[in-house]
Amino acid sequence: MTVHPGDAIGVFGTNGAGKTTLLRLLATLLKPATGKATILGADLATDARYDVRPRIGYVGHVPGLYPEMTLNENLSFIATAMGIDHEVVESSLAAVGLAGAADRRAEVCSHGMQRRAEFARVLMTKPDFLLLDEPHSALDGNAVDLVDDLVRQIIDSGGAAVLVSHDRSRVENLATYSVEITGGTIA
Amino acid sequence: MTRTSFWTQAMAITKRDVMRERRSGEVLWVTLPFGAIALLLIPIAIGTDRPTLRAIGVGMFWVIVMLFGVLIAVRQAHTESQAQRDVVALTGIDPAAGYVGRVIASFMFLIGFEVVLAVVTVALYDVPLDGWAWMPLVMVLVGAGLSLLGTLAASIVSTGRSASALVPLLVAPLSVPLLIGATQTFEALRLGRSSLTWTLMMVIVILLLAIAGVMSARTLQES
């Protein structure tokens, strides 16, 4: 599987087929036991994969927010660690429709709002390679459009995206091409 | 986006942990009261014979600090999810900076915990205050040692399903040199001997733990 700049790839498969494992490998969060993969020029089997991490935007299906912290504090923590201007935090939250909820703790936000905050985090880091696991789940109509806009924004600016989903019709509208994964093998 | 320094990253982690603790109050409202109650229960159990309480006061203080301090130091083993660890890893934060940041946060909580328990010990056990000028130094050494050890242990077991059971098993034996160092420092002072050997032992333990934690941070993050 080759992903070129400007590509958006849809990955489909049954439960347990290995979609999330593939995404975590591409996100450099797992090291391949066998085989070979290169992301943004870095071989995933080597320590070079650590260097490209800030260029990867990954949203898993479980939100990685700290429940005791507000949405603003969650994003500010990432911004400080990555050297991103704090003004970008507010604009990113506003871009996903969460300006009014910025000071709300993540634990009192709905799953959909937490997902939006995750997309705000990705928007803030301006990744070259976007990886989304079930990007449309738990989102209302407006938020689904926001995700689609985010993907288009990344690929239009020369980035690439891989989207793992069960919602084939929705993702195929966005994808340059699609692949099927069965028993851990890409068809 | 500009590449941030090691200390900026470490301080971001410290700030995050302090903020989470301030909101959850786990140390302040759960561990600290239980530690104070444990100190209160001992005189009730063994009687209020003043010479006995004076004799065991310092030792009891350090035992309670060790037992409950471990809970403070290892709390991140069960408060950080895989998804949260993934987000932190993808920021590109140096794992060693992450380790140092978590150690600093734990150290701050432990120092506060030790200070409150020291006051409770003096009040309940009527311990003589000879040699207590050394107390701040020993508290800092024990706080540093426990936070380094607890953070390292939490990193080792953080991805396992048996974290809650494994952490005390890892930390308890390794904290023994700190307990011996702390109690023997005061014993040496009480007997008018030099406590330098015990202090040095604690410093060496701390240095070894710091080196082990920093050197293994990347491996543990990726495991």
Side-chain angles (χ1 to χ4, degrees):
Chain A
M1 184 171 112
T2 307
V3 186
H4 298 287
D7 280 350
I9 316 297
V11 178
F12 306 107
T14 53
N15 292 334
K19 302 187 296 296
T20 298
T21 302
L22 172 69
L23 216 58
R24 287 178 58 77
L25 272 166
L26 296 177
T28 74
L29 294 167
L30 294 176
K31 191 176 177 180
T34 56
K36 188 169 171 61
T38 304
I39 302 295
L40 299 166
D43 186 340
L44 287 189
T46 69
D47 288 354
R49 71 185 195 276
Y50 306 136
D51 299 330
V52 297
R53 282 182 169 173
R55 296 172 61 195
I56 296 171
Y58 170 71
V59 178
H61 51 77
V62 178
L65 301 169
Y66 296 101
E68 311 88 345
M69 291 162 60
T70 66
L71 299 182
N72 193 314
E73 287 165 349
N74 267 285
L75 266 65
S76 291
F77 160 61
I78 302 296
T80 304
M82 297 182 77
I84 297 168
D85 195 331
H86 281 250
E87 286 174 7
V88 182
V89 171
E90 287 172 20
S91 61
S92 301
L93 283 169
V96 298
L98 289 175
D103 295 326
R104 205 179 289 182
R105 287 191 199 185
E107 64 194 347
V108 297
C109 291
S110 68
H111 188 63
M113 288 170 80
Q114 292 186 31
R115 296 277 291 173
R116 282 179 185 234
E118 293 273 281
F119 290 115
R121 170 176 57 78
V122 168
L123 198 62
M124 184 177 79
T125 61
K126 295 186 174 61
D128 295 321
F129 191 34
L130 182 64
L131 300 163
L132 304 178
D133 199 350
E134 299 292 351
H136 300 114
S137 73
L139 296 179
D140 58 29
N142 288 339
V144 164
D145 293 339
L146 279 170
V147 173
D148 292 356
D149 289 345
L150 172 65
V151 174
R152 287 195 191 95
Q153 200 177 314
I154 301 288
I155 59 177
D156 288 348
S157 61
V162 175
L163 298 89
V164 162
S165 181
H166 284 104
D167 191 350
R168 189 178 281 268
S169 60
R170 184 100 213 170
V171 167
E172 278 181 340
N173 282 338
L174 277 171
T176 322
Y177 69 91
S178 301
V179 295
E180 192 82 25
I181 185 163
T182 314
T185 307
I186 299 168
Chain B
M1 199 180 340
T2 52
R3 188 158 179 80
T4 49
S5 70
F6 179 93
W7 286 107
T8 302
Q9 295 175 357
M11 286 302 113
I13 296 284
T14 302
K15 190 178 167 191
R16 176 204 66 183
D17 282 6
V18 170
M19 197 179 286
R20 294 187 73 193
E21 166 54 31
R22 215 177 61 205
R23 300 272 165 77
S24 70
E26 196 182 318
V27 174
L28 185 63
W29 301 115
V30 181
T31 316
L32 183 57
F34 270 106
I37 287 168
L39 278 174
L40 177 67
L41 289 176
I42 292 160
I44 293 172
I46 66 167
T48 53
D49 178 50
R50 186 166 286 187
T52 308
L53 290 179
R54 280 187 162 196
I56 64 167
V58 174
M60 282 298 120
F61 168 75
W62 288 118
V63 167
I64 300 296
V65 164
M66 292 293 165
L67 290 177
F68 288 87
V70 165
L71 297 179
I72 295 171
V74 303
R75 78 204 178 287
Q76 66 249 35
H78 54 87
T79 57
E80 195 163 29
S81 68
Q82 183 62 55
Q84 290 161 348
R85 281 195 291 273
D86 287 348
V87 169
V88 172
L90 286 173
T91 59
I93 285 182
D94 182 343
Y99 174 73
V100 170
R102 291 197 301 277
V103 167
I104 293 170
S106 282
F107 175 74
M108 289 162 63
F109 304 146
L110 280 165
I111 289 295
F113 180 72
E114 287 178 281
V115 168
V116 173
L117 286 198
V119 172
V120 173
T121 305
V122 171
L124 290 177
Y125 291 76
D126 192 28
V127 286
L129 293 175
D130 317 332
W132 281 67
W134 283 75
M135 197 61 171
L137 173 67
V138 180
M139 276 183 171
V140 165
L141 292 176
V142 169
L146 271 186
S147 50
L148 286 161
L149 180 57
T151 307
L152 181 59
S155 305
I156 291 170
V157 300
S158 60
T159 52
R161 280 178 293 177
S162 311
S164 305
L166 277 176
V167 167
L169 291 175
L170 272 173
V171 173
L174 292 172
S175 64
V176 168
L178 293 171
L179 177 64
I180 293 172
T183 51
Q184 290 306 308
T185 296
F186 284 92
E187 185 64 9
L189 289 169
R190 192 177 68 81
L191 298 172
R193 297 179 188 152
S194 168
S195 61
L196 189 62
T197 314
W198 300 111
T199 310
L200 274 177
M201 184 183 81
M202 285 194 283
V203 170
I204 289 168
V205 168
I206 287 165
L207 285 175
L208 291 175
L209 286 170
I211 292 167
V214 168
M215 298 288 281
S216 61
R218 172 71 75 186
T219 309
L220 291 173
Q221 180 183 272
E222 301 303 319
S223 62

